[in-house]
Structure formats: structure tokens, C-alpha cells
Amino acid sequence: MGLSDEKDRIVINVGGTKHQTYRGTLRTLPGTRLSCLAEPDAPSHFDWDDKHEEFFFDRHPAVFAHILNYYRTGKLHCPADVCGPLYEEELAFWGIDETDVEPCCWMTYSQHREAEEALDSFGGGALLDLTSNDDQDPELVTDPGDGVGDEADEMTRRLAQGDSTDIKARGLWGRWQKRMWALFEDPYSSKYARWIALASLFFILVSISTFCLETHEFFNPIVNRTELELVDNVTVEHVYQETETVVYLTYIEGVCVGWFTFEFMMRVIFCPDKMEFMKKALNVIDFVAILPFYLEVGLSGLSSKAAKDVLGFLRVVRFVRILRIFKLTRHFVGLRVLGHTLRASTNEFLLLIIFLALGVLIFATMIYYAERMGADPTDPRASEHTHFKNIPIGFWWAVVTMTTLGYGDMYPQTWSGMLVGALCALSGVLTIAMPVPVIVNNFGMYYSLAMAKQKLPKKKNKHIPRAPQPGSPNYCKSSINSPPTQSGVCIRVTHTPL
């Protein structure tokens, strides 16, 4: 019995840590790399040590403990102290499907993918490769002495084209297209791009300030207008008053729109992909915010009634100018963090809206009937002693109460209504408090990723790749997904060059 037990045991040395198990345990998952060790000819296909009678793999020993535990218990758990990509690589090497990870550990395992997507989005696309001397543009390379080239933001330089060979093939136009696109699109590509970004930021703030000042009565004096009307062949003069915005604010807005037009046209001309450019929301906002100004200027000289109606409509839609505030996302990482947080928290926002809608419907109905309980018999509609004349009116009160605003425009006046109001306030606090921590956690995650992206140093050392070694990730990698046979993944290992 003891001899049979010794023959059935197998010793696996992973990264200097020895693990001992039974061959029958490794056979529980056929088709994987460890299952091949249970075959009689395994020593001839893997790194076998005759002296110590053990197999050796130069892999992560801590992760392998969880891998081996999967063979023993049938449950695959993810260690919390190991980075997701490392664990994913180890699973691929040992030939284990990632979908076998237990539900309790799936979020820990898969959260690195969201982090990688966020890092790519904060980086702003492809990075500008400055390692080749032939492709370097002196205008885009900052001087190390000016204090800009030493910053971590230097690594966020973008390619105007996806392929450098394609840029060379286009010749002079390709080079200038890359320079101008980086100049107007990426504030971190060069010091000149930063000057352009500062100018754009200045005009954005001036335009928004002008938009707000136009609504102040100081900048809208009242003027007398004269209108002539023909009545029974007699010309009648009508004098009426209206407000008119001071002209210098219009001139300031015209200068700002001129800069935005120039910036938009330069980005359109030198954009490498026009269709992709027009699909982006920020570019659509730029166009929508610019167009009404030119239409208003073109129609201001016309006297027809239709032109005046269109002009009045354009003055109403001036509010689209405030959308220029979203252009600040190109210059401030915090705004991009907020955008990523809102997109990542869509499910939580929907859950919050559903909770709030249910509470509003329930408590609006309850407050309506609670207030009618103490109604005066001579007042059948109960309109004399309560604000809640119907359930739809109670929707507004329920929203204000559950969100803890409490404007006081509507309030219960009976003891039963006050009881319902107290329950509504308490339920609102609990309802809103539940999804908020998830949203806060998303914001904290994206903010930490954004800060890591900014402070990440540029990699300078280049390592020479070597041929795959036994136990490396690429060693016999193509055979992991091959059909499980007696030799399986092991036969191909012997043909891999060392």
C-alpha cells in the first residue's frame, strides 16, 4: 500500500516552491497542462529532475497554489494580492478557462480590464513613438530645458496617423497633417500645443462669461422702437419698448466665435479620419455652438417677418453656447474622470431612478388618502384644508421630500399626513444612500487611474527578447487549446528551440 502510494504521488516545483499531489488529482481536468504530468511519458516532455524526482516550472509559485487547489476542490478562486493580468496569464499557461473562476472572485479577476480601458482613454489614443530619429518632428519635440519635456504628460503625445509608414508614404502632407493635428488636438504634445490650449481655454471662459452677462439688466438697456403701420391708407406710427444687448458684448462674442471657427476648421482639415471626427460628441457641440451666431448675423440685416421670426428663435437657442463648457474636458483630467464615472455608473443611476420612482408613486398615493381622512364633510373635494388635491400633484412633493430638499410649498396638515411625510423622508434617505457608494467608488477608481496615468514615467530601457524557455508563457502556448490526446501538449514542447 505504501509503495503504491509513493508511485501515485507527483512532486511539482514551481518557482522554487515544491507542491506534492496525486496523479489522480491532476487527471480531474483533462486537456490541461497539469493533466499531461500524470501521463507515463511526462518526464521526457517536461523539465524533469532525476535527482530530486520532480517537475520544474519557472512560474509564479503563489498563483500556482490556487491553480492546484482548483484540481483538488473543483473551485477556482482568485488571489486578492495578485494583479489581474498576471493571474490571467497564469490561467492561459496552465490551460484553464477563465470562465471557471468562482462568482465571488470574478469581479476581482476582471476589474483589471476596466482599468486598462480607462488608462487607454485617459491616454487619448495611440502614443507618439519618438524612438525613431527619422520620424521625429523638431517642432513637436519639447526642449528638455524648458521644463516641459521632463513632465509625465510627455508620454501622452498622440499619433495623427495610426501607422508611421503610411505617414512617410504621404510625404510632406503626412508630416504636416501629423504636426497640425497634434497641435490642435493634444495639449500635451508640445509647448506650442499648450499655448494653443491656453488660448482656447481663455476664449471658452470669455465666451461663457459674455453669455452670462448678456442676461443682466445692466447690459440690456431699454430702447424705444418705432414701427409704421398702414391703416385705411393712413400711416400710423407705433412706439414700443424693448431690451437691446450692448453692442460691445456682441463684438466680444464675435471674436470668440472667430477663434472657435478657426480652431474647428483646422481640426477638420488635418483630421486623419473625417467620419470618426464627426461622430464625436464634443465636435458636434463645437459645430452647434458656432452655427447660430453666423445665422443670427446673416439674418439681422433682413426686415421680412419670416427673417425676424427665425432671428427670434436663434436668440432663444443661444443657450447652446453654454455647451462649450464641455470642451474643457480636453484640458482638465478631472472632467474626464467625471465623464468616465457617469458612464460606468449607468446601472446605478438607473437603479436610483427606479427606486425613486417607486417611492414617489407609493408616497404620493399615501399622502393623498392620508390628507383626505381628516377632510371636512362640507368640503367633498378636500381643497380647503390640504395642498394635495390629487395624486399627480403629490408626485412633486414626494420627489422633494425623498431628496431631502423640502421647499415647503406643499406640506401635510393632518396627523396622518405628517406620519406619511416622516416615512417618506426616511425612505428617501435610505433609497438614495444605497447606490451612491458604488458611484463614489467608481469615481475613486477612475481618479486613481487618471493620476497613475499622469505620473507614469516614460520607459527608457529596451530589453532584447529571447527565445521561449521551458515554463515561459509562450512555450508550447499554441498547443494549450489542442485536442487532449495521450501526448497532448507535451509532444510539441520538445520541438521548441531553446
Side-chain angles (χ1 to χ4, degrees):
M1 183 67 178
L3 182 61
S4 175
D5 183 58
E6 290 293 334
K7 289 183 178 180
D8 195 36
R9 287 184 185 178
I10 184 172
V11 179
I12 307 173
N13 188 336
V14 179
T17 303
K18 294 185 178 182
H19 301 267
Q20 193 172 22
T21 185
Y22 294 104
R23 297 181 186 271
T25 302
L26 301 181
R27 293 192 179 98
T28 56
L29 296 176
T32 59
R33 188 179 295 269
L34 286 179
S35 64
C36 293
L37 301 182
E39 301 298 330
D41 57 347
S44 61
H45 301 303
F46 287 94
D47 190 355
W48 169 258
D49 189 349
D50 291 328
K51 181 179 179 181
H52 299 89
E53 295 185 350
E54 63 184 19
F55 291 98
F56 177 77
F57 290 92
D58 192 13
R59 304 299 302 181
H60 198 289
V63 174
F64 181 76
H66 292 267
I67 300 294
L68 187 58
N69 187 66
Y70 177 41
Y71 285 81
R72 293 166 175 165
T73 63
K75 297 183 180 296
L76 180 61
H77 294 278
C78 178
D81 58 343
V82 175
C83 189
L86 173 60
Y87 193 67
E88 184 177 5
E89 184 180 351
E90 292 296 313
L91 291 181
F93 176 80
W94 298 109
I96 298 176
D97 192 355
E98 63 177 8
T99 58
D100 294 339
V101 176
E102 291 297 307
C104 59
C105 297
W106 177 253
M107 294 301 298
T108 305
Y109 168 75
S110 60
Q111 66 183 357
H112 71 279
R113 296 173 183 171
E114 298 179 1
E116 290 173 352
E117 293 177 359
L119 287 173
D120 292 339
S121 60
F122 286 129
L127 300 179
L128 182 61
D129 187 7
L130 298 177
T131 57
S132 174
N133 294 330
D134 298 335
D135 249 0
Q136 285 191 12
D137 293 330
E139 291 83 353
L140 293 180
V141 181
T142 53
D143 184 9
D146 63 2
V148 179
D150 295 334
E151 298 183 4
D153 296 343
E154 199 70 24
M155 67 168 299
T156 60
R157 298 177 178 180
R158 303 179 195 165
L159 272 175
Q161 303 288 342
D163 193 358
S164 59
T165 58
D166 183 59
I167 296 176
K168 292 181 179 180
R170 295 191 179 192
L172 184 62
W173 166 251
R175 282 181 170 273
W176 276 104
Q177 185 181 22
K178 181 176 69 172
R179 295 178 185 178
M180 299 304 295
W181 174 251
L183 190 65
F184 284 90
E185 179 67 15
D186 186 6
Y188 304 105
S189 60
S190 67
K191 60 181 180 182
Y192 303 108
R194 295 195 177 198
W195 294 347
I196 296 292
L198 289 176
S200 179
L201 179 61
F202 171 77
F203 283 109
I204 290 173
L205 296 178
V206 171
S207 176
I208 294 175
S209 301
T210 304
F211 173 76
C212 297
L213 292 176
E214 285 179 355
T215 61
H216 195 277
E217 59 271 13
F218 178 79
F219 300 97
N220 288 274
I222 298 177
V223 295
N224 294 324
R225 297 291 186 186
T226 302
E227 183 179 354
L228 300 178
E229 183 179 359
L230 185 62
V231 179
D232 296 334
N233 295 328
V234 178
T235 302
V236 180
E237 180 178 334
H238 296 282
V239 179
Y240 62 93
Q241 293 180 335
E242 69 176 7
T243 59
E244 184 180 68
T245 305
V246 293
V247 67
Y248 55 84
L249 288 183
T250 305
Y251 292 153
I252 294 175
E253 176 63 19
V255 173
C256 296
V257 172
W259 168 261
F260 296 140
T261 304
F262 168 75
E263 184 184 26
F264 184 78
M265 293 303 298
M266 294 297 291
R267 294 173 64 239
V268 169
I269 293 173
F270 295 101
C271 175
D273 190 346
K274 303 296 189 297
M275 293 299 297
E276 191 67 24
F277 178 86
M278 297 307 299
K279 291 179 181 179
K280 293 185 177 180
L282 288 179
N283 299 328
V284 175
I285 290 175
D286 290 347
F287 179 77
V288 172
I290 291 172
L291 184 61
F293 178 83
Y294 290 103
L295 293 178
E296 186 175 344
V297 172
L299 296 174
S300 59
L302 301 179
S303 58
S304 62
K305 185 177 184 303
K308 291 183 178 180
D309 293 339
V310 175
L311 187 60
F313 173 75
L314 291 176
R315 288 174 178 173
V316 173
V317 298
R318 283 181 176 180
F319 70 91
V320 297
R321 290 158 52 187
I322 202 65
L323 297 179
R324 289 174 182 155
I325 195 69
F326 292 106
K327 296 177 64 175
L328 297 178
T329 56
R330 295 194 184 103
H331 313 290
F332 295 100
V333 178
L335 294 178
R336 279 183 284 171
V337 171
L338 180 60
H340 285 288
T341 303
L342 295 178
R343 283 197 296 267
S345 306
T346 303
N347 294 333
E348 286 73 24
F349 281 117
L350 291 177
L351 190 64
L352 178 61
I353 293 174
I354 293 174
F355 286 168
L356 188 63
L358 291 176
V360 166
L361 182 60
I362 293 173
F363 287 106
T365 304
M366 292 178 64
I367 194 66
Y368 171 74
Y369 286 104
E371 286 289 279
R372 291 183 67 89
M373 289 175 60
D376 190 351
T378 60
D379 184 17
R381 294 185 180 272
S383 59
E384 298 295 333
H385 76 286
T386 180
H387 301 286
F388 306 96
K389 300 177 177 61
N390 51 63
I391 292 179
I393 292 178
F395 290 163
W396 169 250
W397 170 85
V399 171
V400 173
T401 305
M402 292 188 69
T403 54
T404 67
L405 292 176
Y407 288 123
D409 54 345
M410 299 175 64
Y411 54 90
Q413 301 180 23
T414 63
W415 65 269
S416 56
M418 294 178 183
L419 179 61
V420 173
L423 294 176
C424 182
L426 293 175
S427 300
V429 171
L430 297 176
T431 299
I432 296 176
M434 285 188 289
V436 168
V438 181
I439 301 174
V440 174
N441 290 336
N442 289 337
F443 181 83
M445 180 189 69
Y446 284 109
Y447 183 79
S448 62
L449 291 174
M451 294 300 101
K453 187 71 174 181
Q454 282 192 327
K455 298 178 181 180
L456 187 66
K458 186 188 301 182
K459 297 180 180 180
K460 298 181 180 179
N461 298 329
K462 302 296 182 181
H463 302 283
I464 301 176
R466 64 171 182 170
Q469 301 296 317
S472 66
N474 298 325
Y475 191 72
C476 195
K477 187 175 182 179
S478 61
S479 58
I480 293 178
N481 297 324
S482 60
T485 59
Q486 183 175 0
S487 55
V489 299
C490 309
I491 296 179
R492 299 185 184 182
V493 174
T494 58
H495 294 87
T496 304
L498 299 178

